[in-house]
PDB file of all heavy atoms in Angstrom:
ATOM      1  N   VAL A 315     142.709  63.765 127.580  1.00  0.00           N
ATOM      2  CA  VAL A 315     142.096  63.828 126.258  1.00  0.00           C
ATOM      3  C   VAL A 315     143.067  64.515 125.309  1.00  0.00           C
ATOM      4  O   VAL A 315     143.950  65.253 125.733  1.00  0.00           O
ATOM      5  CB  VAL A 315     140.761  64.609 126.278  1.00  0.00           C
ATOM      6  CG1 VAL A 315     139.745  63.914 127.168  1.00  0.00           C
ATOM      7  CG2 VAL A 315     140.970  66.051 126.728  1.00  0.00           C
ATOM      8  N   ARG A 316     142.900  64.235 124.019  1.00  0.00           N
ATOM      9  CA  ARG A 316     143.630  65.002 122.993  1.00  0.00           C
ATOM     10  C   ARG A 316     142.654  65.984 122.366  1.00  0.00           C
ATOM     11  O   ARG A 316     141.583  65.598 121.903  1.00  0.00           O
ATOM     12  CB  ARG A 316     144.226  64.098 121.920  1.00  0.00           C
ATOM     13  CG  ARG A 316     145.041  64.910 120.878  1.00  0.00           C
ATOM     14  CD  ARG A 316     145.799  64.030 119.920  1.00  0.00           C
ATOM     15  NE  ARG A 316     144.930  63.386 118.946  1.00  0.00           N
ATOM     16  CZ  ARG A 316     144.914  62.079 118.688  1.00  0.00           C
ATOM     17  NH1 ARG A 316     145.714  61.268 119.348  1.00  0.00           N
ATOM     18  NH2 ARG A 316     144.085  61.578 117.789  1.00  0.00           N
ATOM     19  N   ILE A 317     143.044  67.250 122.372  1.00  0.00           N
ATOM     20  CA  ILE A 317     142.225  68.301 121.778  1.00  0.00           C
ATOM     21  C   ILE A 317     142.770  68.640 120.402  1.00  0.00           C
ATOM     22  O   ILE A 317     143.974  68.882 120.247  1.00  0.00           O
ATOM     23  CB  ILE A 317     142.222  69.565 122.663  1.00  0.00           C
ATOM     24  CG1 ILE A 317     141.526  69.276 123.993  1.00  0.00           C
ATOM     25  CG2 ILE A 317     141.529  70.724 121.953  1.00  0.00           C
ATOM     26  CD1 ILE A 317     141.540  70.451 124.942  1.00  0.00           C
ATOM     27  N   GLN A 318     141.910  68.606 119.405  1.00  0.00           N
ATOM     28  CA  GLN A 318     142.250  69.129 118.084  1.00  0.00           C
ATOM     29  C   GLN A 318     142.077  70.644 118.173  1.00  0.00           C
ATOM     30  O   GLN A 318     140.954  71.143 118.270  1.00  0.00           O
ATOM     31  CB  GLN A 318     141.336  68.538 117.014  1.00  0.00           C
ATOM     32  CG  GLN A 318     141.886  68.622 115.611  1.00  0.00           C
ATOM     33  CD  GLN A 318     143.083  67.685 115.413  1.00  0.00           C
ATOM     34  OE1 GLN A 318     143.214  66.681 116.096  1.00  0.00           O
ATOM     35  NE2 GLN A 318     143.962  68.043 114.485  1.00  0.00           N
ATOM     36  N   VAL A 319     143.174  71.365 118.182  1.00  0.00           N
ATOM     37  CA  VAL A 319     143.152  72.790 118.508  1.00  0.00           C
ATOM     38  C   VAL A 319     142.583  73.590 117.334  1.00  0.00           C
ATOM     39  O   VAL A 319     142.990  73.413 116.185  1.00  0.00           O
ATOM     40  CB  VAL A 319     144.571  73.288 118.855  1.00  0.00           C
ATOM     41  CG1 VAL A 319     144.544  74.782 119.173  1.00  0.00           C
ATOM     42  CG2 VAL A 319     145.140  72.506 120.036  1.00  0.00           C
ATOM     43  N   ARG A 320     141.635  74.469 117.643  1.00  0.00           N
ATOM     44  CA  ARG A 320     141.085  75.388 116.646  1.00  0.00           C
ATOM     45  C   ARG A 320     141.698  76.781 116.793  1.00  0.00           C
ATOM     46  O   ARG A 320     141.833  77.519 115.814  1.00  0.00           O
ATOM     47  CB  ARG A 320     139.574  75.494 116.810  1.00  0.00           C
ATOM     48  CG  ARG A 320     138.802  74.217 116.529  1.00  0.00           C
ATOM     49  CD  ARG A 320     137.298  74.460 116.691  1.00  0.00           C
ATOM     50  NE  ARG A 320     136.504  73.297 116.348  1.00  0.00           N
ATOM     51  CZ  ARG A 320     135.177  73.285 116.354  1.00  0.00           C
ATOM     52  NH1 ARG A 320     134.501  74.377 116.684  1.00  0.00           N
ATOM     53  NH2 ARG A 320     134.517  72.195 116.034  1.00  0.00           N
ATOM     54  N   ALA A 321     142.031  77.154 118.030  1.00  0.00           N
ATOM     55  CA  ALA A 321     142.600  78.474 118.277  1.00  0.00           C
ATOM     56  C   ALA A 321     143.364  78.441 119.588  1.00  0.00           C
ATOM     57  O   ALA A 321     143.032  77.661 120.488  1.00  0.00           O
ATOM     58  CB  ALA A 321     141.501  79.546 118.331  1.00  0.00           C
ATOM     59  N   VAL A 350     143.775  77.205 125.058  1.00  0.00           N
ATOM     60  CA  VAL A 350     143.296  76.749 123.752  1.00  0.00           C
ATOM     61  C   VAL A 350     141.783  76.563 123.750  1.00  0.00           C
ATOM     62  O   VAL A 350     141.148  76.415 124.795  1.00  0.00           O
ATOM     63  CB  VAL A 350     143.947  75.407 123.335  1.00  0.00           C
ATOM     64  CG1 VAL A 350     145.456  75.537 123.230  1.00  0.00           C
ATOM     65  CG2 VAL A 350     143.573  74.288 124.302  1.00  0.00           C
ATOM     66  N   CYS A 351     141.238  76.556 122.550  1.00  0.00           N
ATOM     67  CA  CYS A 351     139.876  76.079 122.298  1.00  0.00           C
ATOM     68  C   CYS A 351     139.961  75.070 121.169  1.00  0.00           C
ATOM     69  O   CYS A 351     140.704  75.273 120.201  1.00  0.00           O
ATOM     70  CB  CYS A 351     138.949  77.232 121.910  1.00  0.00           C
ATOM     71  SG  CYS A 351     137.285  76.701 121.400  1.00  0.00           S
ATOM     72  N   GLY A 352     139.218  73.983 121.312  1.00  0.00           N
ATOM     73  CA  GLY A 352     139.231  72.974 120.263  1.00  0.00           C
ATOM     74  C   GLY A 352     138.233  71.876 120.546  1.00  0.00           C
ATOM     75  O   GLY A 352     137.396  71.983 121.448  1.00  0.00           O
ATOM     76  N   THR A 353     138.331  70.805 119.773  1.00  0.00           N
ATOM     77  CA  THR A 353     137.410  69.679 119.869  1.00  0.00           C
ATOM     78  C   THR A 353     138.132  68.471 120.437  1.00  0.00           C
ATOM     79  O   THR A 353     139.255  68.159 120.024  1.00  0.00           O
ATOM     80  CB  THR A 353     136.849  69.335 118.476  1.00  0.00           C
ATOM     81  OG1 THR A 353     136.221  70.499 117.924  1.00  0.00           O
ATOM     82  CG2 THR A 353     135.833  68.222 118.561  1.00  0.00           C
ATOM     83  N   VAL A 354     137.505  67.786 121.381  1.00  0.00           N
ATOM     84  CA  VAL A 354     138.085  66.569 121.939  1.00  0.00           C
ATOM     85  C   VAL A 354     138.073  65.490 120.858  1.00  0.00           C
ATOM     86  O   VAL A 354     137.006  65.057 120.397  1.00  0.00           O
ATOM     87  CB  VAL A 354     137.317  66.098 123.186  1.00  0.00           C
ATOM     88  CG1 VAL A 354     137.887  64.763 123.690  1.00  0.00           C
ATOM     89  CG2 VAL A 354     137.383  67.156 124.281  1.00  0.00           C
ATOM     90  N   ALA A 355     139.285  65.071 120.461  1.00  0.00           N
ATOM     91  CA  ALA A 355     139.410  64.155 119.325  1.00  0.00           C
ATOM     92  C   ALA A 355     139.790  62.739 119.730  1.00  0.00           C
ATOM     93  O   ALA A 355     139.635  61.811 118.934  1.00  0.00           O
ATOM     94  CB  ALA A 355     140.454  64.691 118.342  1.00  0.00           C
ATOM     95  N   ALA A 356     140.315  62.562 120.945  1.00  0.00           N
ATOM     96  CA  ALA A 356     140.707  61.222 121.399  1.00  0.00           C
ATOM     97  C   ALA A 356     140.695  61.203 122.917  1.00  0.00           C
ATOM     98  O   ALA A 356     140.919  62.226 123.573  1.00  0.00           O
ATOM     99  CB  ALA A 356     142.092  60.850 120.869  1.00  0.00           C
ATOM    100  N   LEU A 357     140.431  60.009 123.472  1.00  0.00           N
ATOM    101  CA  LEU A 357     140.334  59.843 124.918  1.00  0.00           C
ATOM    102  C   LEU A 357     141.420  58.896 125.411  1.00  0.00           C
ATOM    103  O   LEU A 357     141.705  57.873 124.775  1.00  0.00           O
ATOM    104  CB  LEU A 357     138.972  59.260 125.294  1.00  0.00           C
ATOM    105  CG  LEU A 357     137.720  60.000 124.811  1.00  0.00           C
ATOM    106  CD1 LEU A 357     136.476  59.184 125.148  1.00  0.00           C
ATOM    107  CD2 LEU A 357     137.642  61.381 125.440  1.00  0.00           C
ATOM    108  N   LEU A 365     132.858  63.174 126.523  1.00  0.00           N
ATOM    109  CA  LEU A 365     133.659  64.317 126.088  1.00  0.00           C
ATOM    110  C   LEU A 365     134.014  64.251 124.603  1.00  0.00           C
ATOM    111  O   LEU A 365     134.298  65.283 123.984  1.00  0.00           O
ATOM    112  CB  LEU A 365     134.957  64.403 126.905  1.00  0.00           C
ATOM    113  CG  LEU A 365     134.847  64.943 128.329  1.00  0.00           C
ATOM    114  CD1 LEU A 365     136.175  64.778 129.057  1.00  0.00           C
ATOM    115  CD2 LEU A 365     134.450  66.421 128.301  1.00  0.00           C
ATOM    116  N   LEU A 366     134.041  63.071 124.027  1.00  0.00           N
ATOM    117  CA  LEU A 366     134.496  62.920 122.646  1.00  0.00           C
ATOM    118  C   LEU A 366     133.631  63.762 121.709  1.00  0.00           C
ATOM    119  O   LEU A 366     132.403  63.681 121.722  1.00  0.00           O
ATOM    120  CB  LEU A 366     134.433  61.444 122.237  1.00  0.00           C
ATOM    121  CG  LEU A 366     135.145  61.090 120.933  1.00  0.00           C
ATOM    122  CD1 LEU A 366     136.643  61.342 121.036  1.00  0.00           C
ATOM    123  CD2 LEU A 366     134.897  59.620 120.584  1.00  0.00           C
ATOM    124  N   GLY A 367     134.282  64.599 120.924  1.00  0.00           N
ATOM    125  CA  GLY A 367     133.593  65.448 119.968  1.00  0.00           C
ATOM    126  C   GLY A 367     133.121  66.775 120.532  1.00  0.00           C
ATOM    127  O   GLY A 367     132.608  67.610 119.768  1.00  0.00           O
ATOM    128  N   ARG A 368     133.290  67.016 121.831  1.00  0.00           N
ATOM    129  CA  ARG A 368     132.809  68.258 122.428  1.00  0.00           C
ATOM    130  C   ARG A 368     133.796  69.395 122.188  1.00  0.00           C
ATOM    131  O   ARG A 368     135.017  69.198 122.151  1.00  0.00           O
ATOM    132  CB  ARG A 368     132.599  68.097 123.936  1.00  0.00           C
ATOM    133  CG  ARG A 368     131.504  67.133 124.300  1.00  0.00           C
ATOM    134  CD  ARG A 368     131.093  67.253 125.741  1.00  0.00           C
ATOM    135  NE  ARG A 368     130.350  68.484 125.993  1.00  0.00           N
ATOM    136  CZ  ARG A 368     129.800  68.797 127.159  1.00  0.00           C
ATOM    137  NH1 ARG A 368     129.924  67.970 128.189  1.00  0.00           N
ATOM    138  NH2 ARG A 368     129.135  69.919 127.312  1.00  0.00           N
ATOM    139  N   ARG A 369     133.262  70.599 122.035  1.00  0.00           N
ATOM    140  CA  ARG A 369     134.105  71.798 121.915  1.00  0.00           C
ATOM    141  C   ARG A 369     134.377  72.316 123.319  1.00  0.00           C
ATOM    142  O   ARG A 369     133.450  72.587 124.091  1.00  0.00           O
ATOM    143  CB  ARG A 369     133.410  72.859 121.073  1.00  0.00           C
ATOM    144  CG  ARG A 369     134.316  74.036 120.686  1.00  0.00           C
ATOM    145  CD  ARG A 369     133.641  74.918 119.652  1.00  0.00           C
ATOM    146  NE  ARG A 369     132.519  75.663 120.200  1.00  0.00           N
ATOM    147  CZ  ARG A 369     132.498  76.994 120.333  1.00  0.00           C
ATOM    148  NH1 ARG A 369     133.528  77.713 119.948  1.00  0.00           N
ATOM    149  NH2 ARG A 369     131.434  77.590 120.813  1.00  0.00           N
ATOM    150  N   VAL A 370     135.650  72.446 123.644  1.00  0.00           N
ATOM    151  CA  VAL A 370     136.040  72.818 125.001  1.00  0.00           C
ATOM    152  C   VAL A 370     137.140  73.874 124.956  1.00  0.00           C
ATOM    153  O   VAL A 370     137.813  74.072 123.937  1.00  0.00           O
ATOM    154  CB  VAL A 370     136.549  71.593 125.802  1.00  0.00           C
ATOM    155  CG1 VAL A 370     135.457  70.549 125.963  1.00  0.00           C
ATOM    156  CG2 VAL A 370     137.787  70.980 125.136  1.00  0.00           C
ATOM    157  N   ALA A 371     137.320  74.536 126.080  1.00  0.00           N
ATOM    158  CA  ALA A 371     138.464  75.420 126.295  1.00  0.00           C
ATOM    159  C   ALA A 371     139.270  74.855 127.455  1.00  0.00           C
ATOM    160  O   ALA A 371     138.726  74.201 128.347  1.00  0.00           O
ATOM    161  CB  ALA A 371     138.010  76.844 126.605  1.00  0.00           C
ATOM    162  N   ALA A 372     140.575  75.112 127.440  1.00  0.00           N
ATOM    163  CA  ALA A 372     141.442  74.580 128.490  1.00  0.00           C
ATOM    164  C   ALA A 372     142.711  75.411 128.584  1.00  0.00           C
ATOM    165  O   ALA A 372     143.050  76.168 127.663  1.00  0.00           O
ATOM    166  CB  ALA A 372     141.779  73.113 128.212  1.00  0.00           C
ATOM    167  N   GLU A 381     148.666  71.777 116.316  1.00  0.00           N
ATOM    168  CA  GLU A 381     147.376  71.283 115.830  1.00  0.00           C
ATOM    169  C   GLU A 381     146.678  70.397 116.845  1.00  0.00           C
ATOM    170  O   GLU A 381     145.476  70.147 116.723  1.00  0.00           O
ATOM    171  CB  GLU A 381     147.583  70.545 114.511  1.00  0.00           C
ATOM    172  CG  GLU A 381     147.998  71.481 113.381  1.00  0.00           C
ATOM    173  CD  GLU A 381     148.271  70.760 112.077  1.00  0.00           C
ATOM    174  OE1 GLU A 381     148.610  69.553 112.121  1.00  0.00           O
ATOM    175  OE2 GLU A 381     148.146  71.395 111.016  1.00  0.00           O
ATOM    176  N   ALA A 382     147.412  69.900 117.852  1.00  0.00           N
ATOM    177  CA  ALA A 382     146.810  69.063 118.875  1.00  0.00           C
ATOM    178  C   ALA A 382     147.604  69.176 120.165  1.00  0.00           C
ATOM    179  O   ALA A 382     148.811  69.452 120.150  1.00  0.00           O
ATOM    180  CB  ALA A 382     146.737  67.603 118.427  1.00  0.00           C
ATOM    181  N   VAL A 383     146.914  68.955 121.294  1.00  0.00           N
ATOM    182  CA  VAL A 383     147.577  68.976 122.596  1.00  0.00           C
ATOM    183  C   VAL A 383     146.817  68.037 123.520  1.00  0.00           C
ATOM    184  O   VAL A 383     145.597  67.892 123.411  1.00  0.00           O
ATOM    185  CB  VAL A 383     147.628  70.412 123.178  1.00  0.00           C
ATOM    186  CG1 VAL A 383     146.226  70.952 123.443  1.00  0.00           C
ATOM    187  CG2 VAL A 383     148.474  70.477 124.430  1.00  0.00           C
ATOM    188  N   LEU A 385     145.884  66.929 127.553  1.00  0.00           N
ATOM    189  CA  LEU A 385     145.826  67.463 128.913  1.00  0.00           C
ATOM    190  C   LEU A 385     144.737  66.737 129.678  1.00  0.00           C
ATOM    191  O   LEU A 385     143.905  66.045 129.094  1.00  0.00           O
ATOM    192  CB  LEU A 385     145.596  68.974 128.902  1.00  0.00           C
ATOM    193  CG  LEU A 385     144.256  69.530 128.468  1.00  0.00           C
ATOM    194  CD1 LEU A 385     144.162  71.005 128.849  1.00  0.00           C
ATOM    195  CD2 LEU A 385     144.070  69.412 126.970  1.00  0.00           C
ATOM    196  N   CYS A 390     139.254  70.567 131.160  1.00  0.00           N
ATOM    197  CA  CYS A 390     138.498  71.068 130.006  1.00  0.00           C
ATOM    198  C   CYS A 390     137.135  71.600 130.449  1.00  0.00           C
ATOM    199  O   CYS A 390     136.456  70.972 131.263  1.00  0.00           O
ATOM    200  CB  CYS A 390     138.301  69.958 128.983  1.00  0.00           C
ATOM    201  SG  CYS A 390     139.831  69.271 128.336  1.00  0.00           S
ATOM    202  N   VAL A 391     136.744  72.732 129.901  1.00  0.00           N
ATOM    203  CA  VAL A 391     135.432  73.302 130.224  1.00  0.00           C
ATOM    204  C   VAL A 391     134.649  73.490 128.929  1.00  0.00           C
ATOM    205  O   VAL A 391     135.198  73.955 127.920  1.00  0.00           O
ATOM    206  CB  VAL A 391     135.566  74.648 130.969  1.00  0.00           C
ATOM    207  CG1 VAL A 391     136.166  74.433 132.340  1.00  0.00           C
ATOM    208  CG2 VAL A 391     136.400  75.650 130.184  1.00  0.00           C
ATOM    209  N   VAL A 393     132.411  75.128 126.095  1.00  0.00           N
ATOM    210  CA  VAL A 393     132.357  76.510 125.632  1.00  0.00           C
ATOM    211  C   VAL A 393     130.910  76.887 125.320  1.00  0.00           C
ATOM    212  O   VAL A 393     130.201  76.117 124.665  1.00  0.00           O
ATOM    213  CB  VAL A 393     133.241  76.683 124.373  1.00  0.00           C
ATOM    214  CG1 VAL A 393     133.114  78.087 123.793  1.00  0.00           C
ATOM    215  CG2 VAL A 393     134.696  76.374 124.717  1.00  0.00           C
ATOM    216  N   ASP A 399     135.452  80.360 118.506  1.00  0.00           N
ATOM    217  CA  ASP A 399     136.685  79.675 118.895  1.00  0.00           C
ATOM    218  C   ASP A 399     137.742  80.672 119.354  1.00  0.00           C
ATOM    219  O   ASP A 399     138.441  80.438 120.348  1.00  0.00           O
ATOM    220  CB  ASP A 399     137.235  78.861 117.712  1.00  0.00           C
ATOM    221  CG  ASP A 399     136.321  77.711 117.307  1.00  0.00           C
ATOM    222  OD1 ASP A 399     135.534  77.241 118.155  1.00  0.00           O
ATOM    223  OD2 ASP A 399     136.394  77.303 116.129  1.00  0.00           O
TER     224      ASP A 399
END
Side-chain angles (χ1 to χ4, degrees):
V315 298
R316 182 172 73 232
I317 294 177
Q318 200 70 26
V319 179
R320 295 182 176 183
V350 299
C351 174
T353 303
V354 176
L357 305 174
L365 284 172
L366 192 64
R368 294 194 72 176
R369 190 170 70 113
V370 298
E381 292 177 335
V383 63
L385 70 167
C390 300
V391 293
V393 175
D399 294 336

